Amino acid sequence: MKIDFANLKFSYLEHKEKIDEAIASTISSTSFIMGQSVYEFEDALAKFSGAKYAISCSSGTDALLLAMMALGIKPGDEVITTPFTFIATAETIAFLGAKPVFVDINEQTYNIDVSRIEEKITKNTKAILPVSLYGQISDMEAINKIALKYSLPVIEDGAQSFGATYKGKRSCNVSAIGTTSFFPAKPLGCFGDGGALFTSDEYLADKMKSMRIHGQTKRYHHKYIGMGGRMDTIQAAVLLSKLPSYPEEITLRQTVAENYNQKLQTTVTTPDVSYDRTSVWAQYTVRLQNRDAIQGKLKEQGIPTAVHYPMPLHLQECFQTLGYQQGDFPVAELLAKEVMSLPMNPFLTKEEIDIISIQLDKNIDELII
Ligand SMILES: Cc1ncc(COP(=O)(O)O)c(C=O)c1O
């Protein structure tokens, strides 16, 4: 038996008719760029998130770039973020010539340790960029409070959390700007690259919309330095046909996570979701000893796993010039050695969860003996 990690095939087959029709109709319209589906998708996204404005764009990475460009982040500025995330979060800060300033993470949620943010704020700090890792939103109320005290904007990197909630509000609508990714393996994925920005601030929305199309305000009139960062119409059409059933898929993911929690609570450290939040379970990530050996054994047994992420960003070669060292962020460094993501998708069956849990338990026992 071969278990699928993200099961993109099943996800396509579930919506095949609608998706095929949406793609075919985009092709016959030949409106490949900024076609009708892009605008319809943005309206649907804004409604879904609760934010006043939703702006689609070319990827989650470009969404981060556009957010920081709209805020005027420039060389010499500092942006506070977490070292335990995908490279794009900090890479985009550095790409704009600014400096990522890392803060260690909370051992329960794996998200930025809010109690350590304030000590990193300097006169050069221009934004706080928390990540909603694995599908769970950071403690945004506390982060927004600190940001307000220092008049800083907060950008939520919600690439993994679109649809998650924090105190009843949806991800990407819990700070000045929210960004997300529709990379195929994300909880809501398209068939290539795609992303979006969210805000309720009209000025920022207009600026991000313009910057996404080369800073254009009207054809061949360029107010800002922007980029070619549009989402193409085919991706918007695909997402538009998937969005209505997304809440159902989130519920299915949550059921898979609950089943895992029940089966694994005595085997490994299972993930913790705060009482005031819901996760969309972009990843179901456990903590365990002997991670690499266990991963190898599970692979032999047809069970795919992944590590998100094996090296915290402050230790990456590309950030050597920032001067961080091993030991600077002990929690992130420890988790990088211990985390392992198990197959997670809405279509994972109880039987598959049983097999994964039994094998994981067995492999751990064998290694201890
Ligand atoms: C936390 C985080 N930020 C940003 C991104 C970048 O998104 P994309 O791959 O759509 O550029 C990702 C994608 O994996 C991510 O996980």
Side-chain angles (χ1 to χ4, degrees), residues 115-136:
S115 70
R116 316 202 70 160
I117 291 179
E118 213 166 342
E119 67 199 53
K120 294 292 177 75
I121 295 177
T122 72
K123 63 177 186 352
N124 295 324
T125 307
K126 291 291 152 51
I128 305 175
L129 175 40
V131 175
S132 304
L133 200 76
Y134 303 152
Q136 177 176 208

Side-chain angles (χ1 to χ4, degrees), residues 59-61 64 85-86 88-89 131 157 159-160 181 183 186 193-194 309:
S59 68
T61 305
L64 287 165
T85 174
F86 181 60
T89 311
V131 175
D157 181 347
Q160 303 184 9
S181 162
F183 186 81
K186 291 288 186 265
D193 277 311
Y309 297 90

Side-chain angles (χ1 to χ4, degrees), residues 138-151:
S138 297
D139 189 358
M140 296 307 286
E141 207 167 85
I143 295 172
N144 284 329
K145 204 167 154 195
I146 297 168
L148 190 68
K149 184 171 161 191
Y150 294 90
S151 301

